[in-house]
Amino acid sequence: LSMKHFFSCESNKDKQRWIQAALNCGPLMPALSPLKSACESSDGESELLQLGCIFQDIETLGGCEAHCVVHGKLCPVPGCDLLVIGSSCKDFSKANPKKETQKLVFQQSNSLGGSAQTYHGFTSYVAAHSPGLVTYENVDGLEEQIGAHAQSNLDVLMQTMKELGYSGQPLRTDASSFGLPARRRRLYILFVRQVNPKLHTQARSLTESFEMFNNMVASCLRSPPCAKDLLLNPASGEVEAFLGERKEKSAKAASKSPKSSGNWADQHMKFAEAEGLRWGQPYPEELKLNPWFETLTAREQDVLALSRAQAPDAGFRNVSQSLGRVHTASWCKDTKKRVAPTMLPGQLLFLELVKPPRLMLDQEALLFQGFPAPLFLKLVETEGIDVYECSSAARGSVRKRSGPGRKWLTESLMADLAGNAMALPVLLAIVQSAVASLLFRPDSRASTREETADALSALGILADL
């Protein structure tokens, strides 16, 4: 299945650059149409014409034009055959104590996590441009019943899409069931436009297609490798470089005037008392001599010590989390393998399943999401990836950043990407199963088989990474 990228939508500048770099990485994305023309001009204009758009504000996509950060101007908002969208999970996640619990987010004009704004922008785009297929992703908290009428945000979404002329098929997934060594429970919904001239629904009804879709996704299930097998070699340059960065940041923090620790010590003492754990004891020598342990803050060190006392056999400990959410069971008795917890933005995972124990690199977290981060980073560093930035001095004037190096691709950015991105193998299984389960009519306007394939495989990506 080859695809053509029409557009993305992302408000964060660093993530806009990431999207361009990933799409412009030919060896990594061979199925995507090339982003640039084979014939380059000195000013890059011919290349620029070949680039897919990256729009900045999803709430503007219901119109005919929207501001594009690649071309630096208002660009036509294109239609597409397949729209992939995911919105922030902050408003729905069961792990977020500040989530909206008393009202339906999709019925609000805005929400703290931005899901309401994304939802209205998304449905406005669908109403205006009628994509043939839509794949929507979010956490399973979308299904929680709210209010006296026991409605959920999923109910609101399904009803809205029905009114726009779509039939939908929800699907509950876990990334660890699709060959990834980490858990990630998510709800995907495949929406199909009921009146679609490209579909042969008389020969195969949407009900039959949805049944086939479920069976095809099920055929993509596979057991994951052991999480330990995907970690980088402790002696690798990447691991050593990350440790050096951690030490440098820790030294800078120590040189500044110490901040008030707040009441974390009191909270930890009460937690230890409630759990029947001893608190305030000197850290074991093994931890004191661990160079990674030295880079943790006092609170993080204490979180790690309490976690070890509470769950000695845990393989992963997220020391950035609140007490009680630090570790999860990682040993799978059935497969005899380690399975990592869900990758989270801002996580700080201390790995106990390697010797000596260390912190997880954020490129490893991306790898656990199914993105080939080590290969991507190697290509960016050695070959350079073209990234276009619009000049503020002249509208539409573009300069190209290229050449080796990845200073812009920080560990914090990769952590954010890993914590928010869709699990790639799960998304691929759903997209391929969706296309394969639907019966398409031949395109009479296409004179060749290749043109028919191109017309039916256009892809528009709309994702909050």
Side-chain angles (χ1 to χ4, degrees), residues 396-446:
S397 176
V398 177
R399 63 189 179 93
K400 180 176 69 174
R401 286 191 174 192
S402 60
R406 58 178 179 96
K407 290 183 179 180
W408 61 274
L409 193 48
T410 62
E411 288 290 330
S412 61
L413 173 59
M414 287 190 285
D416 193 2
L417 290 165
N420 286 301
M422 301 178 197
L424 191 55
V426 182
L427 179 59
L428 288 175
I430 288 172
V431 168
Q432 292 185 91
S433 298
V435 173
S437 62
L438 294 165
L439 192 59
F440 289 90
R441 295 179 183 273
D443 190 343
S444 60
R445 295 170 300 172

Side-chain angles (χ1 to χ4, degrees), residues 268-291:
H268 287 204
M269 182 171 61
K270 291 177 181 178
F271 177 85
E273 183 179 357
E275 295 293 324
L277 304 173
R278 297 183 67 184
W279 183 79
Q281 301 299 307
Y283 299 131
E285 199 68 20
E286 175 238 336
L287 275 184
K288 289 181 182 179
L289 298 175
N290 187 307

Side-chain angles (χ1 to χ4, degrees), residues 244-323:
E245 290 177 16
R246 293 280 310 173
K247 287 181 175 179
E248 185 177 343
K249 289 181 181 179
S250 179
K252 287 182 179 179
S255 64
K256 297 179 181 179
S257 56
K259 296 180 180 180
S260 172
S261 61
N263 61 349
W264 72 259
D266 292 336
Q267 292 176 351
H268 287 204
M269 182 171 61
K270 291 177 181 178
F271 177 85
E273 183 179 357
E275 295 293 324
L277 304 173
R278 297 183 67 184
W279 183 79
Q281 301 299 307
Y283 299 131
E285 199 68 20
E286 175 238 336
L287 275 184
K288 289 181 182 179
L289 298 175
N290 187 307
W292 297 88
F293 183 74
E294 294 176 1
T295 68
L296 300 177
T297 65
R299 179 196 171 277
E300 292 164 351
Q301 289 179 345
D302 205 56
V303 167
L304 179 59
L306 283 173
S307 173
R308 280 188 155 198
Q310 191 179 27
D313 298 326
F316 298 84
R317 307 184 195 278
N318 191 352
V319 296
S320 68
Q321 291 292 304
S322 58
L323 293 171

Side-chain angles (χ1 to χ4, degrees), residues 44-105:
E45 287 301 320
S46 61
E47 293 183 49
L48 186 61
L49 293 174
Q50 301 296 321
L51 288 172
C53 291
I54 298 181
F55 299 113
Q56 190 166 14
D57 185 358
I58 190 173
E59 293 186 87
T60 64
L61 297 190
C64 297
E65 293 182 324
H67 179 71
C68 169
V69 299
V70 174
H71 303 106
K73 61 180 182 178
L74 290 174
C75 286
V77 178
C80 61
D81 289 319
L82 173 62
L83 178 72
V84 179
I85 175 168
S87 59
S88 170
C89 64
K90 291 180 182 178
D91 294 316
F92 313 109
S93 176
K94 298 173 183 176
N96 181 13
K98 297 180 180 180
K99 70 173 181 176
E100 300 278 4
T101 56
Q102 302 301 320
K103 54 188 177 182
L104 293 168
V105 173

